Amino acid sequence: MKLFRSILLVVHFVLLFLLCGVLLNAYIPPKVFWGFSFLSLGFPLIMILYVIITFFWIFSWKKRAFFFMFAGLFFLNPTKRWLNYSSENKETPNLKIVTFNVKSGKWGKNEIQNYINAQKADLVFLQESGPDYELDHLKAEETLQIICFYSKYKILDRKDIFKPLTEKDVTSQCEQIDIEIRGKIYRVFNVHLQSFGVVKDMVKLDGNGNEDEKKMKDLVKKLIPTFKVHQEEIQLIRKSVEESPYPVIVAGDFNAVPNSYEYYQMSKVLKDAFFETGKGSGTSFHDFKYPLRIDYIFTSETIKPIHYSVDHSAHLSDHFPVIASFKIE
């Protein structure tokens, strides 16, 4: 038993070390060291194991439990970015937003269209939009290849801020759009960061050592270059946000998890609506049966989140729709 506890203690310190590595994504970009990006993907599993072993020390009446409990407090906010517990906000919202990667409508265009119409949103951000959708009382006007923005309000200006990058990869798109809401101008960004191009068969291990090893190597070869491209893309978005003379809303599919470099870059200049007011799991991509939150809504300080939900009952795409309401002046 003593040997088992010694091994478990070493494992616990390793997990703590890995969790600290996740936090370094806030400071170290993928082009400098991409390993921390992998840790952000594994954060839920690492955190679960850390908590389980902490409880083991508690039930074993070991003093070391106090150390690991105290150290675990540093990871409350990183955990809230995946699984939140905000109290209910009683204020009345006056702006409703839906962001949804609809997977080109492959799971049913009419069903998707009916679902979005039922939300009665003021702004709709679609990614991998595919066919045009007829949304009640909302206008799309111009649209890019894989993203589309629908608004109840007047659109004043539009700009493709990824234009220099889209020649490399058509899955990378971000449109900057100025809209007028009740006499005030807001700048919104519809985002789709570069896809990893990973499908279920690539991450499903079948027990064959050689084939599984090849799958893992191929997966790493896909992930590392994409992490580095994301660095360029998110820096462009952040620069545009910081230069905006208007309050900002950034929504869409970031193809990046919480506590990643991409997430920290956005959260340094904008609020994460889920972190502010979300409840339960923020998981928005369900195809891999693993908790992946990759769809977000970020806002300026003057735009107050009131309610945020991921509709896990809507199986209309490999993503779940994100629905949020806000209070603006």
Side-chain angles (χ1 to χ4, degrees):
M1 190 64 177
K2 186 176 180 180
L3 177 60
F4 171 75
R5 287 177 175 171
S6 297
I7 294 173
L8 202 61
L9 181 61
V10 171
V11 171
H12 212 176
F13 273 112
V14 170
L15 292 172
L16 180 59
F17 176 78
L18 294 176
L19 288 172
C20 291
V22 173
L23 301 184
L24 291 177
N25 276 303
Y27 312 101
I28 301 175
K31 287 186 178 181
V32 174
F33 181 64
W34 43 261
F36 297 128
S37 295
F38 280 100
L39 290 180
S40 66
L41 288 171
F43 178 83
L45 291 180
I46 299 171
M47 195 68 217
I48 289 170
L49 289 173
Y50 183 90
V51 170
I52 290 172
I53 299 176
T54 301
F55 274 110
F56 175 81
W57 299 134
I58 294 171
F59 294 136
S60 299
W61 295 95
K62 294 295 182 181
K63 292 181 180 179
R64 66 193 66 164
F66 292 102
F67 168 79
F68 288 108
M69 287 170 61
F70 176 77
L73 294 177
F74 289 96
F75 306 103
L76 283 179
N77 281 347
T79 300
K80 279 183 64 179
R81 295 168 189 145
W82 293 81
L83 188 69
N84 206 352
Y85 43 86
S86 299
S87 58
E88 185 176 355
N89 193 320
K90 301 291 186 180
E91 294 186 71
T92 302
N94 55 9
L95 181 71
K96 187 174 184 179
I97 293 174
V98 171
T99 181
F100 191 12
N101 183 319
V102 296
K103 193 64 174 178
S104 302
K106 292 177 181 178
W107 296 32
K109 176 188 173 182
N110 291 334
E111 290 80 359
I112 292 170
Q113 186 170 278
N114 293 338
Y115 176 86
I116 296 174
N117 280 329
Q119 304 309 313
K120 301 185 184 304
D122 301 299
L123 307 176
V124 175
F125 300 74
L126 298 185
Q127 303 85 40
E128 296 190 47
S129 53
D132 293 333
Y133 293 87
E134 296 179 7
L135 303 184
D136 297 341
H137 312 298
L138 300 177
K139 294 182 179 180
E141 296 183 9
E142 299 176 11
T143 181
L144 297 183
Q145 186 174 355
I146 65 166
I147 61 176
C148 190
F149 172 73
Y150 294 80
S151 174
K152 176 182 174 182
Y153 300 102
K154 183 179 180 181
I155 295 174
L156 304 175
D157 189 37
R158 315 177 77 110
K159 178 183 178 183
D160 178 5
I161 69 168
F162 277 6
K163 199 168 185 180
L165 297 175
T166 50
E167 296 176 359
K168 303 177 185 177
D169 180 65
V170 295
T171 70
S172 302
Q173 290 191 347
C174 179
E175 188 173 26
Q176 171 188 298
I177 307 153
D178 292 344
I179 58 175
E180 184 180 343
I181 303 177
R182 295 187 285 276
K184 186 172 182 178
I185 299 175
Y186 293 81
R187 179 161 289 175
V188 303
F189 296 81
N190 191 6
V191 176
H192 188 280
L193 297 192
Q194 180 172 314
S195 296
F196 286 97
V198 176
V199 296
K200 283 188 289 187
D201 288 344
M202 295 178 63
V203 296
K204 185 177 180 180
L205 304 181
D206 54 17
N208 184 313
N210 292 332
E211 289 187 10
D212 288 348
E213 182 181 354
K214 184 178 184 304
K215 281 185 178 181
M216 289 297 99
K217 289 181 178 179
D218 291 342
L219 181 62
V220 170
K221 287 178 182 178
K222 278 186 171 289
L223 294 179
I224 294 174
T226 307
F227 289 143
K228 294 178 180 180
V229 171
H230 281 187
Q231 178 182 333
E232 298 177 38
E233 294 173 343
I234 208 70
Q235 286 173 349
L236 281 175
I237 298 173
R238 179 172 173 176
K239 181 174 182 292
S240 297
V241 167
E242 291 176 324
E243 292 175 349
S244 173
Y246 314 117
V248 167
I249 299 169
V250 179
D253 177 2
F254 282 70
N255 280 303
V257 295
N259 309 310
S260 62
Y261 174 82
E262 299 92 322
Y263 179 91
Y264 280 117
Q265 289 300 300
M266 278 292 91
S267 62
K268 285 177 181 178
V269 292
L270 298 172
K271 296 185 299 185
D272 173 7
F274 175 78
F275 183 82
E276 297 290 325
T277 192
K279 293 180 182 179
S281 170
T283 295
S284 61
F285 182 81
H286 58 84
D287 212 28
F288 292 168
K289 311 303 179 186
Y290 181 83
L292 291 172
R293 180 185 171 219
I294 61 176
D295 299 271
Y296 302 87
I297 302 176
F298 294 97
T299 66
S300 297
E301 285 291 334
T302 55
I303 303 172
K304 186 174 183 180
I306 304 299
H307 177 265
Y308 185 109
S309 65
V310 181
D311 190 347
H312 297 118
S313 67
H315 291 269
L316 302 169
S317 166
D318 52 1
H319 291 244
F320 293 121
V322 172
I323 304 160
S325 56
F326 301 84
K327 186 175 182 180
I328 59 175
E329 296 177 1

